[in-house]
């Protein structure tokens, strides 16, 4: 609070110096010859007080950074007013100050026209072809946010003094090795804040198992987004870091002991108060208001979203639009690719890799209207901000997220179901969209998987893992390979065939068989043409993946007597 008062006092003094004339204006012959009376001390004090109050109110309410460059509009207005009131040499001096302020203002306003290349260089991503194949023995974090919010709202009776509060912002996080949704309880209005004083806690819900119920965790919080005055967490952060440049909303992060913290991403302008480059986070203990400043590399390990989703969305925009500068993004649009707006948080979707590290996913599409083919997709590390752009198989045309959602809408048009949170995975070597399907009330109905390159191949099931099993069969029926599908252990076994089942699918045959070790296996004649001759009592040597499924995928097979 002291900082903003001193800042307001300094601005008030500078403004008073610029506005108040210090030289007497000589009256013209037509004017009254009476000498001009200088402003009284009372008038000067009143002017100073009004400017101080106005400055304090503006910066207190807006939470704008208190850097000198933030005063550019104010300086133009004040210096122009001072130049008009002054006379003689004083007018010249204040006129020069006005012109300088005006030039600086034009420089700031024109920044987007000349710093586009710098923005692109900052956001430039390394390129790769395809993401690593998903391990089908794992479960993706695929519970949609809308469904999670619905379940939390229905569990709101767990909150003490329920009428005081409402559900806050929902976000995903890894806590103690599990992927969960976190949503704080927030005050539902000013008078509820006056009476409640503290937030009682937050909700958690599994992000992988839709059958689990929300849990309310008691943890009192005083500094929150829904509090008022100096207890509002954004204002509390600004009071402690008046010159920091923040981008994105505050986010709630939970440590391994369940203690909540609010964080906010800060950085620097790319140039001229325009653009944003992330540098670190400010972390706040919402119970007592203690604040700490961390560079990204030094952020506590429990923080997953050190880089705000708004920052990642902005970087994606730089990378997609400014490859050939600003004017190309408006007119020619050569090589321009537009980031999707189908993400769950600020147009990006948080996902986790096999190591439990969080990334923000975004697909890019063509700026040409009516085109739903994907040009590529990106994954941005949520702790470092480093991003990789995946081109996909350039010999194939991939459908974008909007196309996947349209397929779901047409598939369930009679039931009026819709998809939410489409994310592209590499399932069994095939670029595929996994999308939760919800009904009109926001309740989860199934999980839909569709091939990005072959939209005619699609399946759905009650759980992601069931959908994956169905998808493997659909790919085999469609003639696709399922080699190199996961991190599952590769094993070799020799045995005698007990039972065989063959199913013709297009140009290929799917062969399912049972060995004398009581394990089931499946193989396609596309990968092993001689599999069509497999019979009961044949002795075989197979190499397969131990995925834990009922029918284990075979990579190689040797039939005694046929090789």
């Amino acid at each position: 609070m002291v900082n903003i008062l001193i800042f307001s006092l300094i601005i008030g003094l500078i403004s008073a110096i610029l506005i108040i004339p210090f030289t007497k204006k000589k009256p013209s012959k037509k004017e009254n010859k009476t000498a001009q009376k200088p402003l009284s001390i009372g008038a000067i004090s009143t002017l100073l007080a009004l400017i101080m109050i106005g400055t304090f109110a503006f910066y207190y309410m807006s939470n704008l950074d208190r850097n000198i460059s933030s005063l550019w509009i104010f300086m133009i207005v004040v210096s122009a007013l001072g130049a008009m009131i002054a006379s003689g040499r004083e007018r010249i001096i204040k006129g020069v100050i006005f012109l300088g302020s005006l030039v600086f203002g034009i420089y700031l306003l024109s920044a987007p026209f000349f710093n586009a290349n710098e923005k692109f260089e900052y956001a430039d991503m390394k390129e790769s072809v395809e993401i690593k194949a998903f391990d089908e023995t794992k479960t993706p974090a695929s519970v949609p946010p809308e469904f999670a919010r619905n379940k939390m709202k229905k569990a709101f009776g767990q909150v003490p003094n329920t009428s005081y509060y409402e559900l806050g912002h929902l976000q995903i996080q890894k806590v103690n090795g599990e992927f969960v949704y976190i949503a704080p309880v927030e005050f539902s209005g000013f008078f509820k804040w006056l009476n409640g004083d503290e937030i009682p806690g937050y909700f958690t819900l599994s992000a992988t198992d839709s059958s689990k119920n929300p849990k309310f965790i008691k943890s009192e919080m005083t500094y929150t987004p829904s509090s008022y005055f100096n207890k509002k967490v954004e204002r509390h952060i600004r009071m402690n870091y008046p010159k920091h440049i923040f981008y994105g909303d505050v986010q709630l992060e939970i440590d391994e002991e369940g203690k909540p913290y609010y964080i906010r991403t800060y950085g620097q302008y790319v140039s001229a108060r325009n653009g944003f480059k992330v540098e670190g986070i400010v972390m706040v203990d919402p119970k007592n208001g203690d604040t700490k400043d961390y560079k990204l590399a030094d952020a506590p390990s429990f923080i997953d979203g050190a880089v705000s989703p708004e920052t990642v969305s902005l970087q994606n925009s730089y990378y997609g639009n400014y490859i050939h500068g600003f004017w190309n993004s408006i007119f020619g649009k050569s090589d321009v690719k537009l980031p999707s707006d189908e993400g769950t948080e600020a147009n990006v979707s948080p996902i986790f890799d096999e190591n439990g590290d969080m990334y923000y996913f975004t697909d890019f599409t063509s700026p040409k209207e009516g085109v739903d083919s994907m040009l590529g997709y990106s994954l941005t590390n949520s702790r470092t901000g480093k991003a990789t752009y995946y081109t996909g198989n350039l010999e194939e045309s991939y459908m974008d997220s909007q196309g996947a959602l349209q397929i779901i809408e047409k598939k369930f048009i009679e039931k009026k179901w819709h998809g939410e949170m489409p994310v592209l995975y590499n399932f069994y070597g095939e670029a595929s969209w996994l999308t939760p399907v919800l009904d009109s009330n926001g309740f989860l109905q199934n999980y839909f998987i569709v091939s990005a390159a072959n939209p005619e191949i699609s399946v759905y099931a009650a759980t992601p893992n069931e959908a994956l099993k169905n998808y493997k069969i659909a790919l085999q029926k469609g003639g696709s390979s399922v080699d190199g599908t996961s991190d599952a252990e590769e094993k070799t076994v020799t045995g005698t065939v007990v039972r065989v089942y063959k199913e013709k699918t297009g140009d290929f045959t799917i062969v399912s068989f049972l060995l004398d070790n009581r394990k089931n296996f499946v193989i396609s004649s596309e990968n092993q043409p001689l599999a069509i001759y497999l019979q009961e009592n044949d002795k075989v040597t197979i190499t397969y993946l131990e995925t834990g499924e009922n029918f284990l995928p075979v990579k190689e097979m040797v039939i005694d007597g046929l090789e």
Side-chain angles (χ1 to χ4, degrees), residues 218-374:
K218 292 184 178 180
S219 183
E220 294 180 345
M221 294 180 278
T222 301
Y223 296 86
T224 72
S226 59
S227 299
Y228 289 81
F229 304 120
N230 288 354
K231 297 296 179 66
K232 188 175 182 66
V233 67
E234 294 95 331
R235 183 168 292 117
H236 179 73
I237 293 173
R238 173 57 71 200
M239 290 297 180
N240 285 274
Y241 300 93
K243 293 187 177 182
H244 274 37
I245 311 302
F246 296 104
Y247 196 84
D249 295 330
V250 293
Q251 299 184 94
L252 190 69
E253 294 274 347
I254 309 300
D255 68 13
E256 304 305 325
E257 285 73 43
K259 180 173 175 55
Y261 293 90
Y262 275 107
I263 67 167
R264 197 173 191 191
T265 303
Y266 75 85
Q268 293 294 332
Y269 295 114
V270 172
S271 63
R273 291 189 67 85
N274 182 261
F276 182 77
K277 298 189 291 186
V278 62
E279 291 184 350
I281 63 165
V282 169
M283 186 173 76
V284 181
D285 185 332
K287 175 63 177 176
N288 55 31
D290 289 346
T291 60
K292 291 183 179 180
D293 181 342
Y294 295 95
K295 295 296 184 182
L296 285 182
D298 302 323
S301 59
F302 70 85
I303 292 177
D304 292 308
V307 182
S308 67
E310 292 88 352
T311 298
V312 175
S313 184
L314 188 67
Q315 291 177 358
N316 288 336
S317 176
Y318 295 162
Y319 180 75
N321 284 286
Y322 297 144
I323 185 170
H324 297 310
F326 175 80
W327 294 113
N328 178 72
S329 69
I330 302 297
F331 298 108
K333 297 187 177 182
S334 174
D335 297 324
V336 167
K337 40 190 177 285
L338 301 181
S340 167
D341 59 359
E342 297 297 339
T344 58
E345 294 186 28
N347 297 332
V348 297
S349 294
I351 62 173
F352 291 87
D353 67 4
E354 66 277 4
N355 300 317
D357 296 326
M358 193 169 88
Y359 289 81
Y360 293 112
F361 167 83
T362 310
D363 64 303
F364 292 76
T365 189
S366 170
K368 186 176 181 180
E369 294 184 7
V371 176
D372 62 358
S373 62
M374 185 176 65

Side-chain angles (χ1 to χ4, degrees), residues 5 20 45 84 102 122 148 185 194 218 220 235 252 314 323 340 378 386 395 398 401 409 443 461 514 527 545 555:
L5 289 173
I20 298 171
S45 300
M84 287 189 293
L102 186 62
Y122 165 69
V185 171
L194 283 178
K218 292 184 178 180
E220 294 180 345
R235 183 168 292 117
L252 190 69
L314 188 67
I323 185 170
S340 167
S378 68
K386 301 298 182 182
E395 296 180 358
Y398 286 177
S401 57
E409 185 176 348
F443 290 102
L514 173 67
N527 306 320
L545 297 173
K555 295 186 66 177

Side-chain angles (χ1 to χ4, degrees), residues 62-131:
S62 68
N63 267 343
L64 188 67
D65 64 282
R66 296 197 283 276
N67 293 293
I68 296 299
S69 60
S70 68
L71 293 164
W72 66 276
I73 295 179
F74 183 76
M75 286 297 296
I76 292 175
V77 174
V78 169
S79 59
L81 183 60
M84 287 189 293
I85 297 176
S87 60
R89 184 176 298 176
E90 183 181 348
R91 170 174 285 184
I92 295 174
I93 294 173
K94 292 182 178 179
V96 171
I97 295 174
F98 164 70
L99 289 176
S101 302
L102 186 62
V103 170
F104 183 67
I106 294 172
Y107 165 71
L108 295 182
L109 291 175
S110 62
F113 301 103
F114 62 76
N115 68 1
N117 290 332
E118 191 175 352
K119 289 175 180 175
F120 177 79
E121 290 173 4
Y122 165 69
D124 196 14
M125 306 178 188
K126 67 177 184 179
E127 288 195 3
S128 186
V129 177
E130 205 76 82
I131 56 175

